[in-house]
Amino acid sequence: MIAVQRIRIFHGVVNVGRLRCRSLSAARSLTSCRSLYTTAWLTACTAQPPERNIFLMGPPGAGKTTVGRLVAQRLGMPVIDIDDDVLEKAWLMPVAEKLSQVGGKRFLEEEGEAVCNFSASGTVISLTGSNPLHTGAMQHLKRNGLMIYLDVDTDDIIQRLTRMKVNRIVGQEDGTSMRDILMYRKQFYERWLDSRVLCGIGDTIAEVAEKVHRALHRYQDSDSETFISTRSNVSGEGRPEVEPKFFSDVVVEGLAPDGGLYVPKGHFPKLEPGQWKRLAKMAYPERARAILEQCIHPSDVSPLELKRMVRRAYGANFSSEAIAPVRHLLHNQYVLELFHGPTASFKDLALQLMPQLFAHCLPQMCNYLILVATSGDTGSAVLSGFGGLDAVARQRVGVLVFFPEHGVSEIQKLQMTGIREGNARAVSVVSDFDFCQRTIKRMFGDGGVTGHLAVEYATVLSTANSINWARLLPQVVYHASAYLDLLRDGVVAFGDPVDVCIPTGNFGNAQSALYAKHMGIPIRKVICASNLNCVVADFINTGRYDLRGRKLTLSHSPAIDILKSSNLERFLYHMSGGDSGLVRELFTSLEDHQHFEVSAELRQKINQDVRADWCSEEECLATIRDVHSQTGYVMDTHTAVAKTVADRLQDPSVPMVICSTAHYGKFAPAVLAALQREGIPGEPLEQLHSLSSTGTTPPMHDTLVQCLRESRSQSHRVCRADYHVLTEEVEAMIQDSFLNVQ
């Protein structure tokens, strides 16, 4: 055991905790947050930081002065208002008079000078709305303070300013509207913030003050937001025997050392209805930032870094400005289109962001090889996402994808094998997805393999499958966003329930919908839709997970051709109330005996939240044909599986959101057959042209066409289904990736 001092440094804040690690690699991962700089680390070990200020920052009318008084009273701290206690005393005149006298530009300069001459410690300080516009003043203040941004709804601000009869603020001299000024200033508040207080529509000053208090407690108590394994052994005192991990640790580690999956140790964060109503006004990237800030502690990823990551993840790389739009289909059914990303599948919504989180949390001492098992869509999405990292990160991160040679569509295969840039490679295996996934999990638990790679190549294995928490978390956003779109468009009032139907294989998508429900989105039922490999549907309906004598069957919907559903482990952990002993027992039984069964009581609890069914190959194709004939809309085979099951299980009075997880072009032969097109071309590019020739809705995905135009018919490496062969492939990949750049 290696005792490690965990030191978090964030804009001068030092939080120190004790954490015991089982290995040197685990110890290294503790310092994976890039905000830990060597000089600051050494200084923190020897210096006692001064008593810190709490700064309240936000637009005029946010209530900073009153909130400051309430917070100071509760904390037993002195309070200072910059307007009243600093500026007016320095200028010997009201602030409004000074602005009128010198004009906005000069006002900002003199205000900044006055703030730079001000100092305090251990005080709650309410800033002016214009303080953050002066760089020098903010740099001076942040040396000894925590910046709390009161992010109040713009309409609420304007109403307050109207009641206060405020008709002039800095920047309004040229006739710019109050709304435009407030929108312009947001960038400055977001530049300096340490923690955001997301205020709900109509929040009172007292409610805002309470949110500030909770934000301060959260910021100062980073140890409360930790993660444990679904299989953690628990001591006699009820505590996990292995200390919990931080977000930055679990992102890099991927799979827990005991073979379990990481889950939050405490409760998942929950937003209030007023906060969700605020988010309904926002675009997808803003929603993503606001939701993820609640789930990622700022000591792991600062709000400013998260903003940059989200902006890069969800932009021009998506073919729809809405990122994940919701489209009305038929009756009370709506399609959540998750295929507008660069590889045309729902995996892009997570894998355009997850690699950035991974690179941000990387320890400085070793290289990482991302191992991925894919049933089709994950592979190209991982290669695209990690390929978008900067050159420095790519030198230290390699990606190796294993996919079933005969278990993906031809277009999916071309997407993966056409990428051979830098430290990225896709290799096929003459087996199924379950073998690929099982082999990767075995490598993680094989000390001989991981130890050899660490000693010989200073390389650690990790994963980007949905067993990695950072891969699963961004998926929560689009389930929440779908409801917010329905709210914005007047389909539901907040609190009205919806059902969500999801093509289900590895259960990650379904689990992320359940997390969205835990956060406060009114999802009534999550409906899991299986194809003829319906082990998940059978389990939901019977409580028995039985693989004995069951063989994987290739289908028209290969992304859900899965028998061992990894994220079901997280699901059962939560459904059982965090009973890690039960989870360990169930999945050990599955590994050793190919089956397990849960109690009738637990199955009843499962069915309160989740329902399931499956559809045949014939029903899948018939659904594609019927929907197209009725609406002109073309859906892919996985979406058709979900639509078929949704039709069976839907309560007509409750809106049904059907997750469309891939663009139909990725499965062109099956879709063309469903539409009863004659003479289906043999070449993938010609198949796409055939589909798009009739002006289909949604339109053909441009990146699919571009991928096929640029890809050549080229050979790729094919491995036999042997554990040792795949471990040799891993070692060869590491040699090619890292030895040549050192």
Side-chain angles (χ1 to χ4, degrees):
M1 299 287 285
I2 300 169
V4 177
Q5 194 93 339
R6 182 176 179 91
I7 303 177
R8 292 178 177 273
I9 303 171
F10 188 70
H11 294 308
V13 185
V14 181
N15 293 324
V16 182
R18 297 294 294 179
L19 190 59
R20 290 198 169 270
C21 304
R22 297 173 58 187
S23 66
L24 180 59
S25 61
R28 287 170 176 165
S29 73
L30 293 180
T31 55
S32 57
C33 186
R34 289 199 311 195
S35 59
L36 297 177
Y37 293 99
T38 304
T39 302
W41 187 84
L42 293 171
T43 302
C45 293
T46 58
Q48 180 69 30
E51 194 173 2
R52 311 191 69 235
N53 296 312
I54 297 170
F55 294 103
L56 301 183
M57 173 180 63
K64 300 181 292 296
T65 299
T66 308
V67 170
R69 291 177 185 143
L70 292 173
V71 171
Q73 182 179 17
R74 183 164 180 174
L75 297 178
M77 297 171 65
V79 60
I80 292 176
D81 181 80
I82 293 292
D83 262 341
D84 296 343
D85 302 323
V86 177
L87 298 181
E88 293 194 356
K89 289 184 177 179
W91 294 335
L92 302 177
M93 68 174 69
V95 170
E97 184 179 338
K98 182 72 169 182
L99 174 60
S100 177
Q101 186 180 96
V102 303
K105 185 176 181 180
R106 181 60 190 166
F107 178 90
L108 286 177
E109 293 175 1
E110 294 195 21
E111 181 185 57
E113 291 172 5
V115 170
C116 286
N117 291 324
F118 160 78
S119 65
S121 64
T123 302
V124 177
I125 301 172
S126 300
L127 302 183
T128 73
S130 54
N131 280 156
L133 278 66
H134 193 282
T135 300
M138 294 303 289
Q139 290 173 337
H140 167 71
L141 295 174
K142 280 182 73 72
R143 292 190 185 102
N144 184 30
L146 181 70
M147 288 287 171
I148 304 293
Y149 170 32
L150 307 188
D151 186 0
V152 179
D153 180 63
T154 300
D155 289 332
D156 284 353
I157 290 288
I158 291 175
Q159 290 175 14
R160 290 178 189 173
L161 293 177
T162 300
R163 289 196 301 270
M164 295 163 60
K165 298 182 179 180
V166 174
N167 55 14
R168 186 179 181 187
I169 62 175
V170 176
Q172 213 171 8
E173 292 85 351
D174 60 358
T176 307
S177 72
M178 185 70 74
R179 184 177 297 275
D180 287 343
I181 291 175
L182 295 174
M183 295 304 295
Y184 169 74
R185 286 191 179 186
K186 281 180 69 72
Q187 62 183 305
F188 297 97
Y189 304 138
E190 291 175 348
R191 175 185 176 186
W192 299 110
L193 70 91
D194 291 320
S195 181
R196 179 198 310 269
V197 172
L198 180 67
C199 302
I201 291 178
D203 273 1
T204 65
I205 294 297
E207 288 170 334
V208 174
E210 176 60 30
K211 285 184 169 69
V212 170
H213 183 75
R214 292 202 298 264
L216 288 168
H217 183 269
R218 179 194 183 209
Y219 190 89
Q220 295 164 357
D221 185 21
S222 62
D223 288 359
S224 65
E225 293 187 27
T226 53
F227 295 80
I228 58 174
S229 168
T230 50
R231 304 185 189 184
S232 294
N233 287 313
V234 178
S235 69
E237 298 175 352
R239 294 192 304 270
E241 292 181 357
V242 177
E243 290 291 335
K245 301 292 184 72
F246 293 87
F247 177 85
S248 49
D249 305 327
V250 303
V251 171
V252 174
E253 290 183 27
L255 190 68
D258 59 10
L261 308 187
Y262 284 118
V263 290
K265 183 174 181 289
H267 294 292
F268 214 68
K270 188 164 187 175
L271 273 66
E272 299 171 357
Q275 292 172 308
W276 286 120
K277 292 175 185 178
R278 278 257 345 252
L279 298 189
K281 299 179 179 183
M282 300 179 184
Y284 189 93
E286 292 175 286
R287 292 173 181 173
R289 280 172 45 212
I291 292 169
L292 294 174
E293 280 181 11
Q294 306 298 316
C295 304
I296 303 173
H297 195 278
S299 294
D300 285 296
V301 183
S302 74
L304 184 59
E305 282 294 326
L306 186 60
K307 175 184 178 180
R308 290 169 180 157
M309 294 179 194
V310 167
R311 181 176 293 175
R312 186 176 180 185
Y314 308 119
N317 51 336
F318 278 74
S319 61
S320 169
E321 187 176 348
I323 310 299
V326 175
R327 182 192 296 262
H328 180 251
L329 187 62
L330 281 166
H331 310 302
N332 212 8
Q333 291 182 345
Y334 299 82
V335 175
L336 172 58
E337 294 184 344
L338 300 173
F339 50 72
H340 292 286
T343 70
S345 91
F346 80 103
K347 308 294 176 70
D348 291 322
L349 275 298
L351 284 164
Q352 289 298 302
L353 179 62
M354 182 264 183
Q356 297 183 69
L357 292 168
F358 188 92
H360 180 82
C361 297
L362 270 181
Q364 297 298 320
M365 300 174 232
C366 53
N367 300 316
Y368 275 80
L369 180 64
I370 309 297
L371 290 184
V372 176
T374 181
S375 54
D377 289 331
T378 297
S380 57
V382 168
L383 292 167
S384 170
F386 278 90
L389 295 177
D390 61 55
V392 174
R394 288 201 305 271
Q395 286 182 353
R396 299 184 52 224
V397 180
V399 179
L400 179 58
V401 174
F402 291 122
F403 67 91
E405 171 66 15
H406 304 295
V408 300
S409 77
E410 188 63 25
I411 291 177
Q412 287 176 313
K413 186 180 294 186
L414 287 170
Q415 281 185 298
M416 288 185 282
T417 58
I419 299 176
R420 293 187 180 182
E421 299 177 357
N423 304 337
R425 183 184 303 167
V427 174
S428 72
V429 182
V430 185
S431 186
D432 55 30
F433 167 79
D434 287 314
F435 174 82
C436 298
Q437 180 167 253
R438 185 168 63 251
T439 299
I440 286 178
K441 284 187 173 182
R442 181 178 170 186
M443 288 184 197
F444 275 91
D446 189 334
V449 171
T450 57
H452 170 69
L453 299 178
V455 172
E456 289 294 320
Y457 307 108
T459 298
V460 178
L461 301 180
S462 189
T463 181
N465 283 93
S466 57
I467 59 178
N468 189 311
W469 180 254
R471 163 62 200 286
L472 190 67
L473 183 59
Q475 296 179 236
V476 177
V477 176
Y478 59 70
H479 287 297
S481 184
Y483 187 88
L484 297 176
D485 278 357
L486 297 179
L487 176 63
R488 178 199 62 202
D489 297 340
V491 176
V492 296
F494 192 85
D496 293 344
V498 299
D499 290 339
V500 179
C501 190
I502 301 170
T504 304
N506 228 9
F507 209 82
N509 205 349
Q511 183 59 55
S512 62
L514 290 166
Y515 282 135
K517 179 175 182 176
H518 290 315
M519 289 193 77
I521 292 295
I523 295 173
R524 189 188 66 151
K525 297 283 187 182
V526 173
I527 299 173
C528 297
S530 300
N531 58 22
L532 42 79
N533 296 294
C534 52
V535 64
V536 170
D538 288 347
F539 169 71
I540 297 299
N541 291 321
T542 68
R544 292 188 296 275
Y545 204 100
D546 196 345
L547 300 180
R548 291 171 296 186
R550 197 162 195 164
K551 292 188 177 181
L552 191 81
T553 303
L554 299 183
S555 75
H556 293 312
S557 46
I560 54 175
D561 286 347
I562 296 172
L563 292 180
K564 281 195 173 180
S565 182
S566 289
N567 273 286
L568 197 71
E569 183 164 338
R570 279 192 176 105
F571 174 63
L572 288 175
Y573 177 86
H574 293 301
M575 283 291 124
S576 65
D579 189 340
S580 56
L582 174 64
V583 170
R584 190 169 54 253
E585 176 186 326
L586 293 177
F587 284 89
T588 299
S589 176
L590 183 64
E591 193 64 36
D592 295 344
H593 307 295
Q594 297 294 290
H595 74 96
F596 66 72
E597 184 171 0
V598 301
S599 67
E601 180 183 3
L602 181 54
R603 183 166 72 87
Q604 184 178 16
K605 188 174 181 181
I606 288 170
N607 293 150
Q608 291 174 0
D609 284 337
V610 181
R611 299 184 67 190
D613 206 343
W614 68 281
C615 86
S616 68
E617 295 288 87
E618 295 76 18
E619 289 172 316
C620 170
L621 298 185
T623 294
I624 294 173
R625 183 168 55 254
D626 293 345
V627 169
H628 181 256
S629 66
Q630 294 179 64
T631 67
Y633 189 87
V634 180
M635 56 179 52
D636 88 296
T637 48
H638 304 78
T639 310
V641 169
K643 164 69 172 156
T644 303
V645 170
D647 287 344
R648 275 191 218 136
L649 300 184
Q650 181 172 10
D651 177 343
S653 66
V654 177
M656 173 72 76
V657 177
I658 298 171
C659 287
S660 183
T661 53
H663 191 276
Y664 58 83
K666 300 187 81 166
F667 310 96
V671 174
L672 287 168
L675 298 178
Q676 299 179 328
R677 301 284 175 85
E678 296 182 0
I680 298 175
E683 290 296 320
L685 186 57
E686 294 178 12
Q687 293 167 2
L688 296 190
H689 287 321
S690 178
L691 275 172
S692 59
S693 61
T694 55
T696 52
T697 301
M700 182 52 63
H701 201 292
D702 289 340
T703 59
L704 279 181
V705 176
Q706 181 181 352
C707 170
L708 296 187
R709 282 176 178 163
E710 294 177 353
S711 66
R712 301 180 181 89
S713 179
Q714 55 186 343
S715 61
H716 62 277
R717 184 162 177 75
V718 182
C719 295
R720 72 177 188 271
D722 182 278
Y723 175 74
H724 298 291
V725 170
L726 267 60
T727 56
E728 290 172 2
E729 195 67 32
V730 167
E731 185 165 9
M733 178 68 181
I734 290 172
Q735 292 172 345
D736 293 344
S737 298
F738 303 128
L739 296 189
N740 295 333
V741 299
Q742 291 177 347

